[in-house]
Amino acid sequence: MMTRQTQRSIAFLPVSRLHIPHNNREVYLSRELTSRGWQVHWLRPASGTNEGVPVQWPELRYPDLDIRGRTYLLPAYLALRLRAAGISTVWISGWTLRSIPELTWMVSILKRAGLRVVFDPIDPICEFLAAMREGEEGDEAEDRVCIDRMRSVYQQCD
């Protein structure tokens, strides 16, 4: 039997609304990982909803924060909460974090806290287009900065 330190554990930071719960990849992966002995948790905002779809895994609620709090405080809060709960891996959905700066801070802080981070971009082309739209159209220097930011995020992830 595995102890708490050796137990493989993962927390999903999923899309806040599950429109098609049985086709949602976080639900599918949670079931698959549970069947393989992983301890699964779902991260949800305090006021968040799951569109009436009950989740069969424990939920770790985190406080609702404004944009500054989401960018800087949420990653630090999650890192402390996840480490205290004995969770070693975090799954971040690309639909949940669409802001490149928020994503960059989230991944950097979680990695510095010693957590493994899996980033699921959902659609890499969409992510790069979102990165390109952050700069002004036609500004190649801004486009290059956004693409480099996304590459940095991908390189930090496990």
Side-chain angles (χ1 to χ4, degrees):
M1 178 173 258
M2 296 179 148
T3 64
R4 184 173 174 152
Q5 281 89 12
T6 60
Q7 174 86 27
R8 293 180 297 176
S9 57
I10 187 168
F12 285 87
L13 184 61
V15 179
S16 59
R17 296 180 182 174
L18 300 179
H19 297 290
I20 310 171
H22 298 295
N23 291 337
N24 183 283
R25 72 175 58 190
E26 285 95 355
V27 171
Y28 173 77
L29 287 167
S30 292
R31 287 186 183 133
E32 188 65 29
L33 289 171
T34 301
S35 72
R36 295 176 185 214
W38 282 70
Q39 182 183 31
V40 173
H41 298 272
W42 276 39
L43 297 164
R44 295 256 188 220
S47 65
T49 177
N50 57 7
E51 294 288 302
V53 179
V55 178
Q56 58 220 46
W57 303 280
E59 293 185 348
L60 296 173
R61 296 285 180 166
Y62 58 86
D64 297 302
L65 301 167
D66 64 9
I67 186 68
R68 291 164 302 164
R70 282 199 326 262
T71 302
Y72 304 110
L73 297 177
L74 179 60
Y77 173 82
L78 289 178
L80 290 172
R81 183 85 192 270
L82 294 171
R83 296 300 296 165
I87 296 170
S88 60
T89 307
V90 181
W91 175 285
I92 300 173
S93 168
W95 289 115
T96 302
L97 284 176
R98 301 299 291 169
S99 163
I100 308 283
E102 280 183 54
L103 177 63
T104 303
W105 278 103
M106 178 71 80
V107 171
S108 297
I109 291 171
L110 292 175
K111 290 298 291 182
R112 287 184 184 145
L115 296 163
R116 296 184 69 210
V117 178
V118 178
F119 174 62
D120 178 13
I122 306 293
D123 180 0
I125 295 169
C126 186
E127 290 293 325
F128 277 100
L129 289 176
M132 296 250 200
R133 277 190 231 110
E134 282 194 7
E136 295 181 18
E137 288 187 33
D139 188 350
E140 290 182 25
E142 285 292 321
D143 291 347
R144 175 63 39 211
V145 167
C146 290
I147 290 170
D148 289 344
R149 279 176 157 175
M150 283 307 298
R151 281 195 184 128
S152 169
V153 167
Y154 289 131
Q155 289 170 349
Q156 289 182 59
C157 292
D158 295 299

